Amino acid sequence: MTAWHEDERFWKMFGSAMFTQERMAAAEWDVDGILEIAPTPPQGRVLDMFCGPGRHVLEFARRGFEVTGVDRTQAYLDQAAASAAEENLQVELVQADGRRFIRRNTYDLAVNLYTSFGYFENPQEDVQMARALYESLKPGGKLVIEMIGKEVIARDFRARSWRQFSDFMMLEERRLRDDFGWLESRWIIIKDGAQREITIGHRIYSATEIKSLLLSCGFARTSAYDGLSGEPYDHRAIRLAVVAEKEY
């Protein structure tokens, strides 16, 4: 059976709900925050793992970084390539599986954003992907993972919610599984009188859990923040961002 994240229909069907104009425009602020919590040499090499339609790939390229964007969805890579061409930006876009993409000692910075870590049912595959990111970083390189933290879910969990977009409505039903280790969500889009739906899921991590995983993969130091704001990760946090550094 094909996993939800390997089903091209999902990314096509729900892309407009995930990558709104507001979220695309927020890439500039995101990259400001990333470079604040993970300072990177000017014109350094950046890896964006699961880059989607390239919002951060483009912003890093605008700032003079040499960027590689990796995703398994070719349609998103095509969209990123078209946007880069419009701005005459040089970027590298690679269709690949994040568990297997390794370029040893190549990148100064790797990012994995927007809760795109933890898709795999087998937790060892999360470790495999983290190790691949570790191997791809230069000595002294940094990894930034940004996600929804388990602590935030515990505080703000809602079993149901809905959002109205310009031309469709999206409903979401959520349940927690595996002793608070997995979040399963049923997404329903209603557009032009028709209903489409899919059930997705991902492993959820506390700050301590994801930091421990990264340290077990070889990273030397880790720190946690309230998303990309640079503020401490505490009871007021909205998102979780963890920075991990590879030893020199």
Side-chain angles (χ1 to χ4, degrees), residues 187-244:
W187 289 12
I188 305 165
I189 278 184
I190 301 172
K191 181 177 181 179
D192 299 330
Q195 177 175 311
R196 296 174 291 175
E197 67 175 78
I198 195 168
T199 298
I200 70 172
H202 63 89
R203 188 164 293 98
I204 51 178
Y205 288 93
S206 68
T208 297
E209 288 168 338
I210 189 64
K211 289 171 69 176
S212 295
L213 185 154
L214 295 171
L215 290 169
S216 75
C217 293
F219 287 98
R221 288 170 291 279
T222 61
S223 51
Y225 300 91
D226 178 6
L228 304 176
S229 70
E231 297 298 319
Y233 187 68
D234 58 20
H235 62 288
R236 298 163 294 187
I238 304 300
R239 301 281 293 179
L240 167 61
V242 172
V243 180

Side-chain angles (χ1 to χ4, degrees), residues 132-168:
L133 290 164
Y134 174 86
E135 292 292 339
S136 292
L137 286 169
K138 297 176 181 177
K142 300 180 183 72
L143 168 65
V144 177
I145 295 184
E146 186 269 343
M147 59 175 61
I148 182 73
K150 185 181 288 188
E151 299 89 345
V152 177
I153 294 171
R155 184 192 66 205
D156 297 337
F157 181 80
R158 289 191 294 168
R160 297 176 181 83
S161 64
W162 65 275
R163 287 181 289 167
Q164 180 68 57
F165 295 85
S166 59
D167 60 345
F168 65 91

Side-chain angles (χ1 to χ4, degrees), residues 36-200:
E36 184 69 27
I37 62 177
T40 302
Q43 300 182 322
R45 300 193 70 178
V46 177
L47 170 63
D48 186 351
M49 179 56 67
F50 299 153
C51 64
R55 56 199 181 113
H56 299 101
V57 167
L58 299 174
E59 185 59 30
F60 276 113
R62 292 181 191 116
R63 301 183 190 211
F65 292 95
E66 185 178 344
V67 193
T68 300
V70 175
D71 206 280
R72 71 168 313 281
T73 301
Q74 188 61 50
Y76 284 165
L77 296 174
D78 292 343
Q79 183 179 339
S83 298
E86 287 179 3
E87 297 187 46
N88 197 29
L89 295 172
Q90 297 298 314
V91 300
E92 180 188 24
L93 299 165
V94 180
Q95 185 182 35
D97 186 321
R99 293 164 287 188
R100 298 174 179 85
F101 179 88
I102 299 174
R103 289 184 179 170
R104 286 183 172 81
N105 302 320
T106 298
Y107 297 100
D108 300 286
L109 172 69
V111 298
N112 177 255
L113 308 172
Y114 194 26
T115 312
S116 54
F117 188 87
Y119 288 171
F120 313 114
E121 288 275 2
N122 183 345
Q124 287 305 308
E125 293 181 271
D126 288 357
V127 174
Q128 181 182 356
M129 180 170 152
R131 284 178 175 158
L133 290 164
Y134 174 86
E135 292 292 339
S136 292
L137 286 169
K138 297 176 181 177
K142 300 180 183 72
L143 168 65
V144 177
I145 295 184
E146 186 269 343
M147 59 175 61
I148 182 73
K150 185 181 288 188
E151 299 89 345
V152 177
I153 294 171
R155 184 192 66 205
D156 297 337
F157 181 80
R158 289 191 294 168
R160 297 176 181 83
S161 64
W162 65 275
R163 287 181 289 167
Q164 180 68 57
F165 295 85
S166 59
D167 60 345
F168 65 91
M169 178 184 292
M170 179 172 162
L171 313 176
E172 186 172 355
E173 296 179 347
R174 308 174 187 86
R175 72 183 184 103
L176 293 161
R177 284 179 23 202
D178 303 345
D179 301 326
F180 213 144
W182 189 266
L183 178 62
E184 188 173 271
S185 301
R186 179 182 174 220
W187 289 12
I188 305 165
I189 278 184
I190 301 172
K191 181 177 181 179
D192 299 330
Q195 177 175 311
R196 296 174 291 175
E197 67 175 78
I198 195 168
T199 298
I200 70 172

